[in-house]
Amino acid sequence: MGRSPPLVRCGRLSSEDAAARPRVHLSGTVTVVDFYTQVMFVQDRTGAVWAALPPGTPAIFGGSTIELSGTATVVGRDRAIVYSTIDRVGPGREPKLRQIDRTDLTAETRNYELGQLRLRIKQMLPALGREIRFRGDMNGGPVEVSLLHARAEDTESFVGQEVDLIGVPARPTQTSMAALPLFLADEMRPLAGAKRRTNSLRLLTTIQ
């Protein structure tokens, strides 16, 4: 039997080590799963990295604990896990949220720990399949959001209002449709007192 790859901590996998492309074993919490780009974000007490989803991956939800093996590598300035295989998935809970600001979305080296940002939804954007894209304003300027698990009509009903979004900064290689900093949101939480619009808004509707 071959030796198991060594267990590594997300925040202690250096770019230099990852560049050597070693086989590694990772244990942590899944925070965001992006089935559109086939990656998931895994976080432990030391930090977070993204990992490629293995072909035929069953439904994995944020908050699940996971053990996986794969090849560490460097993509741009990111440390990542590719050619991964999932060894175990179990119940867990969401890590404590950090506060995310616009500079987190434009940093040369991204911090992929789960966080929350607040913005006002300004405009729905066209998207493919079931992905939902919209533009919003937050402190520091406009951003684009890819909302991964929601219905378009539910999001449209809050155009013009502030919402809290739970997720992670998008990888630098992921494309923004509006040429703006991009945020991957796993969940949208309307603020207390927010009122759902009764009339359905069409895509590309803009609140001035």
Side-chain angles (χ1 to χ4, degrees):
M1 295 180 61
R3 296 178 59 186
S4 299
L7 176 68
V8 299
R9 299 297 183 187
C10 295
R12 294 175 185 159
L13 177 64
S14 69
S15 296
E16 292 77 13
D17 290 340
R21 297 178 64 85
R23 289 287 296 177
V24 297
H25 183 74
L26 201 67
S27 177
T29 300
V30 177
T31 57
V32 172
V33 181
D34 184 353
F35 284 103
Y36 302 106
T37 60
Q38 291 292 291
V39 302
M40 61 182 165
F41 295 80
V42 180
Q43 180 174 331
D44 62 20
R45 288 178 292 179
T46 66
V49 298
W50 60 265
L53 286 174
T57 298
I60 298 177
F61 302 99
S64 300
T65 58
I66 193 169
E67 292 184 13
L68 62 89
S69 301
T71 300
T73 190
V74 175
V75 180
R77 290 185 174 270
D78 282 349
R79 300 156 300 118
I81 309 298
V82 295
Y83 306 119
S84 54
T85 57
I86 296 174
D87 302 317
R88 186 186 68 84
V89 177
R93 57 183 178 181
E94 187 179 85
K96 183 178 179 181
L97 299 177
R98 67 188 183 97
Q99 192 62 42
I100 293 180
D101 59 36
R102 194 173 186 272
T103 59
D104 287 306
L105 310 185
T106 58
E108 202 169 4
T109 301
R110 305 285 163 89
N111 179 354
Y112 294 118
E113 293 179 35
L114 190 67
Q116 172 180 294
L117 64 77
R118 178 170 295 181
L119 57 69
R120 184 180 300 276
I121 300 176
K122 296 289 287 186
Q123 181 184 28
M124 301 299 295
L125 299 172
L128 298 175
R130 298 182 63 184
E131 183 185 18
I132 299 170
R133 291 268 184 139
F134 58 85
R135 180 176 65 85
D137 288 339
M138 63 181 299
N139 289 337
V143 300
E144 182 177 336
V145 175
S146 171
L147 184 56
L148 304 173
H149 306 290
R151 298 188 307 171
E153 55 268 31
D154 291 339
T155 308
E156 293 167 21
S157 64
F158 290 103
V159 170
Q161 301 188 63
E162 283 191 322
V163 296
D164 285 331
L165 297 162
I166 312 302
V168 298
R171 295 169 294 138
T173 54
Q174 192 165 351
T175 304
S176 162
M177 296 179 179
L180 293 171
L182 182 60
F183 183 74
L184 301 182
D186 188 66
E187 181 184 354
M188 183 180 78
R189 299 175 181 175
L191 303 188
K195 295 183 178 180
R196 184 186 300 272
R197 292 176 175 269
T198 55
N199 58 319
S200 179
L201 298 175
R202 293 181 181 180
L203 292 180
L204 299 178
T205 294
T206 303
I207 298 297
Q208 301 296 332

